[in-house]
Amino acid sequence: MPITEVDSPTSSRLLVHHGAASVSDPLHHYEQPPIRRLPLEVLREVFLPLGVCYKYLFCARMVCKYWAKVIDSTPELWTWVTNWLHPKLQAMIIRNSGNQLLEVEYTEWYWEEHPEKLAEYARLMKPTASRWHTLTYRQSRGSESNSWPLSLPLHNFERIEMKGLPTNYQRPTLDAPKLQYVDINYGSVNLRYLSGLRVLTLQSTDCTLNELTIVLRASPGLTELSLKQMYLDIGAEGLPNSYMNKIHLSQLHNLHISGAPARSGSFLLERIDAPSLELLNARVAFPTDAASQTQLCEAAGRQLGRFPLPKNQKTQVVIATRSWGIECGIGERRILIGDVTWVGADTRQAMPASIASLMRQLDRRTCEEVTSLKISCEYEDDCRECLRIVHLHFPRIVHLHFPRIDQILVDDEFQGMREIQVVPAIQHLSLPSQLGLTGEWLFPKLTKLRLYLPGPTTKDIGNGIVEVVKRRKEAEQTVEITELRIEVGSGEIDPRTVEILSQSVTRFEVVPIGGTSVGLFLFARASWI
């Protein structure tokens, strides 16, 4: 049928519908943007990454009424409130947050500049106390009436971070049965009624040793304890009757003590029973005598070796000595003790003496499980004495590793210190008489040796390594070194050394690190623990 003969009614209807669509589509396009077709739940997920940054939230609210409605009806976006926000915004946050738990930030000194706003803020926030989840509290020496948040019934409260100056008024007692994380820096709060904590960090507070033992006994699930610049005085009330009883902290992984006298640090370590401890960092105040330093190291040593190692951990002992102190570890457990010297002591003597005091407390069964030693000492004399100490306590060492400094230190503060030349140290392995052990070699079962050389291998360095391998192979009292790995930081490796060692050692490997060239690679790849 020709197009001109199309039925008129049908043609007119099509024309009308086409015209209507042509007119209505532009309006429909602007009134119903694609994002409005998203389900409400999906659009909320789009806004959640904005978090509680109200600057971005209000920018998004200004796009359209629909966005504003979605944002205002998403309580998860309205959970942070502080007392220096505008009162209208504070009220909006409380209204839009619904039943969500709140993150509250409170600054006492703000009321010193705006005292007229205190009453209005208190009326708004006190009814929400049951919804407070965290509190960042900046304390001042102002009026006691400004500290009212600490006296509220905070029944869903889990975390408090307090900073500021010690107050002139009585320390408040928290009504927070679910409190788990406490971080107090210069602030003041009554600790003796706290219980069930998971993390406790105290810095420069007036907490006594008596108060600390009370809260520790009430928090058997504690995982982290950090005491920084804490004097830990016994206090006027003296020690409790149960002070000799152990404090069982079966889940404690990290323990940090700094600034306390060696006597207080030792007393605390003697009381704590922590079978899961992974890191102990003890940097007590400058010891006044050898006895207090020895007592501290012995207490630390009992924490290191009192409990059997987990089966999945490497049976390795780690030792490092530096001018700042010592690091010692077994398996995944580490102990750092800073300022090991005492008044009138020689630093060179203090380092090995501290290591010896620590090692004497290790359980014999733990020592028998250890088969690997990783060691780094700043001075050759320290290394000689530490090798002797390890030899006496760990009879089954088969793998000796002199690593790069960043492979042994767990404290980032001391990364980047100068590397130690290890060749003078390994020379102690070539003859028994060098350590005064007549007829006895160091680590007679040693079969694996791993070295890090920060610079090029000169002829003397190469000869020293070759000499150790040769003499231990010829001696009747030692087994042969069958695996040798040399890591070089820079420079060239003497080709002659590589050739001799590749012929003398069953598995020999040179690993260039950085700009290193090797004249001759005659070695087999090996797997290393």
Side-chain angles (χ1 to χ4, degrees):
M1 179 184 297
I3 192 169
T4 55
E5 298 181 10
V6 175
D7 182 60
S8 178
T10 304
S11 177
S12 62
R13 286 198 303 273
L14 289 174
L15 182 61
V16 171
H17 293 165
H18 175 73
S22 300
V23 174
S24 62
D25 272 358
L27 295 177
H28 178 76
H29 173 75
Y30 288 108
E31 291 179 357
Q32 298 290 335
I35 198 168
R36 290 202 61 176
R37 301 170 195 165
L38 292 175
L40 184 64
E41 294 77 9
V42 175
L43 192 55
R44 282 177 174 169
E45 292 296 326
V46 174
F47 293 134
L48 283 177
L50 295 177
V52 291
C53 182
Y54 298 128
K55 175 182 177 180
Y56 297 142
L57 284 181
F58 274 87
C59 289
R61 289 179 82 256
M62 295 172 64
V63 172
C64 65
K65 293 182 179 178
Y66 181 60
W67 281 29
K69 178 181 178 181
V70 173
I71 291 173
D72 290 351
S73 61
T74 305
E76 294 87 350
L77 297 173
W78 305 90
T79 58
W80 178 74
V81 60
T82 179
N83 60 327
W84 48 262
L85 292 175
H86 193 279
K88 290 185 178 180
L89 177 55
Q90 294 169 352
M92 185 178 184
I93 293 171
I94 299 302
R95 180 177 64 253
N96 291 348
S97 61
N99 292 322
Q100 287 289 311
L101 297 178
L102 299 174
E103 299 176 14
V104 181
E105 185 176 313
Y106 186 84
T107 305
E108 274 192 7
W109 54 258
Y110 178 78
W111 304 126
E112 299 174 6
E113 300 177 4
H114 306 277
E116 72 283 357
K117 297 182 179 181
L118 174 59
E120 181 180 358
Y121 181 78
R123 284 194 300 268
L124 176 68
M125 295 301 297
K126 284 182 177 181
T128 69
S130 62
R131 293 199 287 129
W132 291 19
H133 184 248
T134 67
L135 173 62
T136 301
Y137 193 100
R138 294 181 175 86
Q139 202 169 28
S140 71
R141 289 177 174 171
S143 170
E144 186 172 359
S145 61
N146 295 341
S147 65
W148 56 266
L150 300 178
S151 62
L152 295 176
L154 305 171
H155 294 164
N156 284 300
F157 193 48
E158 290 190 3
R159 183 187 298 268
I160 183 171
E161 180 181 347
M162 180 178 290
K163 300 178 181 180
L165 300 172
T167 61
N168 297 323
Y169 46 85
Q170 185 176 3
R171 294 182 298 172
T173 299
L174 295 177
D175 182 10
K178 295 184 179 181
L179 185 62
Q180 296 185 32
Y181 305 90
V182 175
D183 185 347
I184 301 178
N185 186 348
Y186 284 98
S188 297
V189 69
N190 194 340
L191 295 173
R192 64 176 62 245
Y193 296 106
L194 298 182
S195 62
L197 300 183
R198 300 284 294 174
V199 176
L200 176 59
T201 300
L202 303 177
Q203 180 170 346
S204 301
T205 70
D206 54 359
C207 174
T208 66
L209 189 59
N210 188 9
E211 291 175 317
L212 182 61
T213 56
I214 291 174
V215 69
L216 292 182
R217 291 186 190 281
S219 303
L222 197 70
T223 61
E224 294 185 23
L225 175 61
S226 180
L227 309 171
K228 302 177 181 179
Q229 304 305 316
M230 298 283 293
Y231 187 72
L232 293 179
D233 190 14
I234 294 177
E237 71 276 24
L239 292 171
N241 295 330
S242 59
Y243 79 96
M244 289 300 295
N245 299 332
K246 290 289 185 180
I247 303 173
H248 298 285
L249 301 175
S250 61
Q251 300 180 44
L252 185 66
H253 297 299
N254 296 320
L255 174 57
H256 186 121
I257 304 175
S258 66
R263 176 176 173 271
S264 298
S266 303
F267 179 87
L268 184 62
L269 290 177
E270 291 287 358
R271 304 284 82 74
I272 292 178
D273 198 2
S276 301
L277 189 64
E278 296 176 357
L279 176 62
L280 167 60
N281 192 338
R283 303 188 182 197
V284 298
F286 194 65
T288 57
D289 52 60
S292 61
Q293 178 63 25
T294 300
Q295 185 180 8
L296 176 66
C297 292
E298 290 178 347
R302 282 187 280 272
Q303 291 293 339
L304 181 65
R306 180 186 301 167
F307 306 99
L309 290 169
K311 294 182 180 180
N312 61 340
Q313 290 191 10
K314 293 181 179 180
T315 53
Q316 181 182 69
V317 60
V318 176
I319 291 178
T321 64
R322 293 294 185 271
S323 57
W324 54 265
I326 62 175
E327 175 184 334
C328 186
I330 296 180
E332 301 299 327
R333 300 172 187 165
R334 291 289 185 275
I335 289 179
L336 281 74
I337 300 180
D339 298 327
V340 298
T341 56
W342 53 90
V343 176
D346 183 354
T347 303
R348 303 287 182 88
Q349 298 175 352
M351 300 289 182
S354 297
I355 293 288
S357 298
L358 192 150
M359 290 292 182
R360 282 197 297 267
Q361 307 306 315
L362 300 181
D363 182 78
R364 180 176 295 275
R365 291 171 298 177
T366 300
C367 295
E368 292 177 351
E369 294 175 357
V370 173
T371 58
S372 177
L373 167 63
K374 182 185 290 188
I375 183 170
S376 176
C377 299
E378 190 164 5
Y379 304 106
E380 182 182 351
D381 292 344
D382 287 352
C383 188
R384 181 182 68 245
E385 291 301 315
C386 289
L387 287 173
R388 183 185 66 82
I389 293 169
V390 174
H391 170 78
L392 294 175
H393 288 86
F394 299 94
R396 297 180 58 196
I397 295 293
V398 298
H399 180 199
L400 178 57
H401 182 192
F402 293 89
R404 289 200 321 264
I405 192 170
D406 59 353
Q407 293 178 324
I408 194 168
L409 295 178
V410 299
D411 196 327
D412 293 337
E413 180 180 349
F414 304 103
Q415 299 298 331
M417 296 178 64
R418 70 181 185 91
E419 299 290 349
I420 309 305
Q421 294 288 345
V422 301
V423 173
I426 66 171
Q427 289 177 349
H428 301 307
L429 304 173
S430 61
L431 286 174
S433 59
Q434 290 188 347
L435 285 178
L437 301 174
T438 305
E440 184 176 358
W441 287 72
L442 283 178
F443 314 123
K445 299 181 180 180
L446 182 67
T447 61
K448 299 179 182 181
L449 183 60
R450 180 175 175 180
L451 312 174
Y452 172 71
L453 305 177
T457 56
T458 63
K459 184 177 180 179
D460 291 340
I461 293 177
N463 290 341
I465 299 174
V466 170
E467 190 73 10
V468 170
V469 173
K470 177 183 176 182
R471 289 183 177 274
R472 295 186 74 91
K473 186 176 182 178
E474 295 173 348
E476 296 181 357
Q477 298 92 338
T478 62
V479 297
E480 178 183 352
I481 295 178
T482 58
E483 298 184 20
L484 174 61
R485 173 181 172 126
I486 300 177
E487 301 170 349
V488 183
S490 62
E492 295 185 353
I493 299 179
D494 180 28
R496 179 61 179 165
T497 299
V498 174
E499 182 179 3
I500 295 175
L501 291 175
S502 64
Q503 296 173 357
S504 305
V505 181
T506 304
R507 295 181 179 179
F508 173 52
E509 183 178 18
V510 176
V511 180
I513 300 177
T516 304
S517 61
V518 183
L520 184 63
F521 288 93
L522 295 174
F523 55 86
R525 291 282 175 179
S527 59
W528 296 87
I529 57 175

